[in-house]
Amino acid sequence: MVKAVVFDMGGVLLLLDINKCIRAFKEKAGFEDIEDYLNVYHQKGFVGELEAGNITADEFIAECLRHSRPGTTAQTVLDCFEEFLVGLNEEMLAFIREIAPRYDLYILSNNNSLSCARFIQMMEDAGLPFDKYFKKGFFSFQLHQLKPFPEIYRTTVDGIGLPPEEILFIDDSPANIAAAQAAGIRTILYRQGMDIRKAFSEVD
């Protein structure tokens, strides 16, 4: 029986558009090799270092500026980076409202301080305050651990305090799902437009 539901953030609760972000960096900042660093699931180079918590937001911005055309400002970098975040997944928000009274909810996400702060504000604006709906967030930049490596799943299971078979993880990355399954966690591989309630009923 599932007692806790763990959501990925980007691609599940938060809709992403990597191509829009890449275009913004190229057009507004002149960051021509941005595609060497940005990926839908797993970031590379200094962007990956930001998600792993190995560099600060200020260091990330400074590195972006080194790749950008002269005269680019820190605010332009932030504006370009925010183009990644399209908006909240309204269907998943409705699902959260439905199950929140019956399950403990958590987030497990490869993410960074900039996107997390924006996400939490967006949730607040949508009437779902983070602290009200989620017991805890397991974020890579705070843990210095990344999906799909096994340690972050062990950390999550230990932090929740339940046997892994009583935890359900919803993520849109096949690699992340496979790693969770290897840790004994129940899973749903999320795809936009899928019937999440049907999928949930099949594993609960």
Side-chain angles (χ1 to χ4, degrees):
M1 179 185 233
V2 171
K3 295 181 180 177
V5 183
V6 183
F7 294 86
D8 176 38
M9 193 174 104
V12 176
L13 300 182
L14 183 61
L15 302 176
L16 305 176
D17 189 338
I18 189 170
N19 293 322
K20 186 179 179 185
C21 181
I22 287 170
R23 284 196 303 273
F25 268 112
K26 287 184 176 182
E27 294 171 6
K28 298 178 182 179
F31 190 161
E32 294 297 336
D33 58 341
I34 183 63
E35 288 166 292
D36 292 340
Y37 303 95
L38 276 183
N39 184 279
V40 173
Y41 299 127
H42 306 293
Q43 310 309 331
K44 308 171 198 173
F46 71 93
V47 183
E49 292 296 299
L50 179 69
E51 292 206 336
N54 295 331
I55 63 172
T56 66
D58 286 343
E59 289 170 328
F60 163 77
I61 291 169
E63 188 63 29
C64 284
L65 291 174
R66 279 192 281 273
H67 286 260
S68 300
R69 71 171 68 94
T72 302
T73 65
Q75 187 58 54
T76 297
V77 168
L78 292 172
D79 292 343
C80 292
F81 196 58
E82 195 164 305
E83 293 286 345
F84 209 161
L85 317 179
V86 176
L88 296 173
N89 184 339
E90 295 296 336
E91 182 181 3
M92 291 301 290
L93 298 193
F95 178 62
I96 286 172
R97 289 187 179 97
E98 290 174 17
I99 68 171
R102 306 191 309 276
Y103 299 90
D104 291 336
L105 306 184
Y106 299 85
I107 288 180
L108 169 59
S109 177
N110 282 356
N111 230 297
N112 58 80
S113 58
L114 298 173
S115 295
C116 280
R118 179 67 183 130
F119 168 74
I120 289 171
Q121 184 59 57
M122 291 167 76
M123 291 289 285
E124 181 82 28
D125 294 343
L128 285 93
F130 187 89
D131 291 341
K132 178 180 177 181
Y133 282 87
F134 297 96
K135 293 198 73 173
K136 186 173 183 180
F138 299 92
F139 297 112
S140 60
F141 76 98
Q142 294 175 332
L143 299 173
H144 301 284
Q145 298 172 345
L146 289 162
K147 297 179 294 183
F149 295 103
E151 308 82 52
I152 198 167
Y153 298 96
R154 289 196 292 267
T155 297
T156 301
V157 171
D158 290 346
I160 292 173
L162 291 172
E165 62 270 17
E166 294 181 0
I167 300 170
L168 172 66
F169 178 48
I170 304 173
D171 196 292
D172 64 328
S173 162
N176 293 345
I177 287 292
Q181 291 172 345
I185 300 168
R186 300 189 192 200
T187 63
I188 292 174
L189 177 60
Y190 182 74
R191 290 288 180 259
Q192 294 295 325
M194 73 182 294
D195 188 338
I196 187 61
R197 292 163 184 82
K198 182 175 183 293
F200 185 75
S201 68
E202 291 172 352
V203 297
D204 187 16

